[in-house]
Amino acid sequence: MSELANAGTLRVGNCSGFYGDRLSAMREMLEGGELDVLTGDYLAELTMLILGRDRMADPSAGYARTFLAQLRDCLRLALDRGVRIVANAGGVNPAGLVAAIRELGPAKVALVRGDDLTARAGALGLGSPLGAHAYLGAFGIARALAGGADIVVTGRVTDASLVVGPAIAHFGWGRTDLDALAGATVAGHVIECGTQATGGNYPFFTEIADLVRPGFPIAELHPDGSSVITKHPGTAGAVTVGTVTAQLVYEVDDARYAGPDVTTRLDTVSLRQAGPDRVEITGVRGEAPPPDLKVSCTSIGGYRNEMTVVLTGLDIEAKADLFRRQFEDARGKAEPAEVTWHLARVDTVDAPTQQRASALLTVVARDADEKVAGRAFTNPAVEVALASYPGFFSTTPPGRAHPYGVFTAGYVPQGVVAHEVVHDDGTVEPVGPPALTLALEPLPGPAPGPAPGDPGPVVRLPLGTIAGARSGDKGGNANVGLWVRDDAAYPWLAALITEDTVRELLPEAAALPVRITRLPGIRAVNVVIEGLLGQGVAYQARFDPQAKGLGEWLRSRHVDIPVSLLPVPEEHP
């Protein structure tokens, strides 16, 4: 590794937060400044389904081809600079990716394998999914780097493991160095989604001077597991306590962030602005990991069809009712297993444009039979076109049904997974499970303190006036992390956000279980809404299937905010 590593600091950068991220990012990171390791996260629940289907059609496929294109451009540069690359771009065919990389040039390539449990799924009680992939930990990556690999290719590992593995290899941590492992896990979680840590998807984005092409993040890791999050000098975006908090609360469950190697206590994280574009992470504590590994199980759930018709001007509700009754009558006996309707009243009164006078009515059908979700859905929609409400037209013509995916989470004992490293010379090194595990117990954090006394005058404004939010998906559940930037505002936020308040502000959650976790150390409250996303992103249960905009919807809802907590307007001479 570089001289920086020998000085006690390990600089780990990220050049990909998902399959499809900025193609030039690998070169930008390699040329932009000093690095020891460059990571890339290419996998998500939906990506595993896409790659699984790719491999069904072509056995040589199943990995992130964009990563191979990046290496084709940058491999020589990485080798010359002594930067080692760790990526989960192997997807469902990591061995295929390793073979393809070896055709590019003389680099030492190691493979981390054992995540693919598809052939054993039935025997392990996971059913018969299209793919079953366990989330492996970081020690296989560490062994690969210790063995001299220039490039480490993995299949399904936890996202943070891409950073934790290099730290283990560099600092020599063992299984019992739980606090250090937890600290590196937090750093890995912060940089895993690329530019989401440097201002991307940031709720206070108007405060960032240049967000056109934000730089990718870097974690400077120290021997005790503490870190500094930064980016290359001169790149756009920003690294602040706010941008780091936003990513820290992204797609988490409660105060215990479970992983294969350590359970990280998010309620122990401390953040500090340590300089321009430098945020220090300290104090993180770790506990023994759970005895089971999470398994991503992806399947084809059936076939899906969708049509959206436009309702313009007057009598919107009556027009929607007429089309629905006509559509159901024309469908006759061809009854899909599931039909849902959604009317989006995006119209305005006395609108100055036709688009602003229009509402959208969407009908979605799902069925195990492609024909039932196809022609039996499409034909009725066409038949009523000239016999329906005035001004009838659709956003797109009705078409064929398409298969949809279903994600479920399974669990298997850590010891049943054959976690292995295949080194560049072909030798295979097994990676045993942790000797010490601890059953995972929910940790919602402290209860809110007593409601603040008389807060004085209040004003009804959007919650986002003072609170940030970041939201996302975890299988069929949606997560919204909320935070405030001033200590004085946190008791108010902690008391405001309850299960009942969430259901009131987000009516879609009214009948669903809601879980609240309070993280006072970072002035945050995490909300999990169970089942909001149905059977996962590929199921497309709602308008925003990954809940990416859910946090912004919540921020837009009006609440009573004490005037004393509002930002003081800047005075201008």
Side-chain angles (χ1 to χ4, degrees):
M1 297 201 179
S2 73
E3 293 180 1
L4 272 175
N6 295 328
T9 298
L10 181 70
R11 284 176 61 90
V12 181
N14 170 285
C15 69
S16 176
F18 69 103
Y19 188 13
D21 211 341
R22 190 189 306 168
L23 195 62
S24 62
M26 182 177 288
R27 176 167 287 276
E28 292 171 15
M29 290 299 287
L30 290 171
E31 292 181 337
E34 290 289 339
L35 286 178
D36 301 307
V37 179
L38 184 59
T39 66
D41 179 12
Y42 296 82
L43 301 184
E45 293 165 0
L46 179 60
T47 314
M48 295 299 286
L49 176 66
I50 293 170
L51 294 177
R53 292 184 61 197
D54 286 349
R55 196 174 188 194
M56 286 179 64
D58 178 1
S60 68
Y63 56 81
R65 295 186 181 276
T66 53
F67 175 71
L68 189 62
Q70 290 172 310
L71 277 186
R72 190 175 290 114
D73 174 55
C74 297
L75 178 57
R76 186 70 263 165
L77 176 62
L79 294 174
D80 289 346
R81 288 179 173 256
V83 178
R84 302 165 86 172
I85 296 175
V86 180
N88 60 11
V92 301
N93 186 13
L97 178 57
V98 167
I101 293 171
R102 287 194 169 125
E103 295 179 2
L104 300 181
K108 294 181 179 179
V109 187
L111 165 67
V112 176
R113 68 186 183 189
D115 64 294
D116 191 349
L117 304 178
T118 307
R120 302 166 59 196
L124 293 172
L126 301 172
S128 303
L130 173 67
H133 295 265
Y135 289 79
L136 300 182
F139 279 86
I141 295 170
R143 302 277 181 85
L145 292 169
D150 299 310
I151 302 170
V152 182
V153 171
T154 79
R156 204 12 147 178
V157 297
T158 67
D159 300 341
S161 290
L162 301 173
V163 171
V164 180
I168 294 170
H170 181 68
F171 296 118
W173 298 335
R175 291 280 190 184
T176 59
D177 292 311
L178 296 174
D179 291 346
L181 293 170
T185 296
V186 170
H189 177 56
V190 169
I191 74 168
E192 72 189 36
C193 289
T195 52
Q196 281 196 169
T198 59
N201 293 341
Y202 185 54
F204 304 109
F205 68 97
T206 58
E207 299 176 4
I208 298 177
D210 181 4
L211 200 52
V212 173
R213 194 180 181 86
F216 278 70
I218 298 165
E220 296 178 354
L221 290 141
H222 303 130
D224 63 352
S226 63
S227 64
V228 171
I229 306 301
T230 186
K231 62 186 183 70
H232 282 322
T235 55
V239 180
T240 68
V241 168
T243 67
V244 171
T245 301
Q247 180 57 27
L248 185 57
V249 297
Y250 179 60
E251 294 183 347
V252 299
D253 194 61
D254 63 18
R256 283 193 167 101
Y257 187 67
D261 303 315
V262 63
T263 293
T264 300
R265 291 285 298 267
L266 298 179
D267 57 343
T268 64
V269 176
S270 179
L271 305 177
R272 183 180 72 88
Q273 196 75 42
D277 294 321
R278 293 182 65 81
V279 173
E280 184 181 55
I281 303 175
T282 58
V284 186
R285 301 297 300 274
E287 299 173 343
D292 295 334
L293 291 179
K294 183 179 178 181
V295 182
S296 168
C297 297
T298 54
S299 305
I300 301 298
Y303 293 85
R304 183 182 186 278
N305 210 339
E306 176 179 327
M307 180 182 182
T308 298
V309 296
V310 183
L311 315 167
T312 308
L314 305 177
D315 306 317
I316 296 294
E317 300 285 345
K319 288 172 178 174
D321 178 67
L322 174 60
F323 178 75
R324 179 171 179 169
R325 288 186 289 113
Q326 288 178 318
F327 181 86
E328 291 175 345
D329 177 75
R331 200 171 62 222
K333 295 181 180 179
E335 183 68 31
E338 180 183 344
V339 179
T340 59
W341 295 83
H342 179 72
L343 175 61
R345 292 299 304 266
V346 293
D347 54 304
T348 59
V349 176
D350 193 21
T353 66
Q354 181 177 337
Q355 187 174 20
R356 291 175 62 183
S358 300
L360 303 175
L361 177 64
T362 300
V363 56
V364 177
R366 295 183 181 86
D367 199 274
D369 188 332
E370 182 178 6
K371 293 181 179 179
V372 173
R375 289 195 304 272
F377 175 87
T378 304
N379 293 347
V382 175
E383 289 175 8
V384 303
L386 300 183
S388 194
Y389 60 84
F392 175 94
F393 73 97
S394 63
T395 56
T396 57
R400 295 178 55 190
H402 297 280
Y404 68 86
V406 171
F407 169 86
T408 55
Y411 295 88
V412 298
Q414 292 224 30
V416 308
V417 175
H419 190 178
E420 296 177 332
V421 178
V422 183
H423 293 283
D424 185 68
D425 62 4
T427 59
V428 177
E429 182 180 359
V431 179
L436 178 64
T437 61
L438 185 65
L440 193 65
E441 295 288 343
L443 185 62
D454 183 5
V458 299
V459 60
R460 197 154 185 85
L461 290 171
L463 174 60
T465 304
I466 63 172
R470 174 71 60 77
S471 59
D473 61 310
K474 276 294 186 183
N477 298 342
N479 139 259
V480 183
L482 293 157
W483 75 94
V484 289
R485 299 186 284 183
D486 296 311
D487 289 338
Y490 183 70
W492 170 82
L493 179 70
L496 173 72
I497 301 302
T498 65
E499 289 87 342
D500 289 340
T501 305
V502 171
R503 295 189 181 100
E504 177 185 346
L505 297 177
L506 303 179
E508 290 182 34
L512 299 174
V514 174
R515 290 185 280 114
I516 308 291
T517 299
R518 295 175 179 85
L519 300 167
I522 55 173
R523 297 189 291 266
V525 178
N526 189 56
V527 179
V528 175
I529 305 171
E530 298 181 6
L532 184 68
L533 307 181
Q535 298 181 63
V537 54
Y539 186 74
Q540 294 188 324
R542 62 192 300 275
F543 171 68
D544 175 14
Q546 288 184 280
K548 296 295 187 182
L550 187 65
E552 287 301 291
W553 177 28
L554 182 55
R555 291 182 72 234
S556 74
R557 299 308 308 270
H558 286 220
V559 297
D560 290 332
I561 302 177
V563 173
S564 61
L565 299 180
L566 296 177
V568 177
E570 294 184 10
E571 294 185 3
H572 299 280

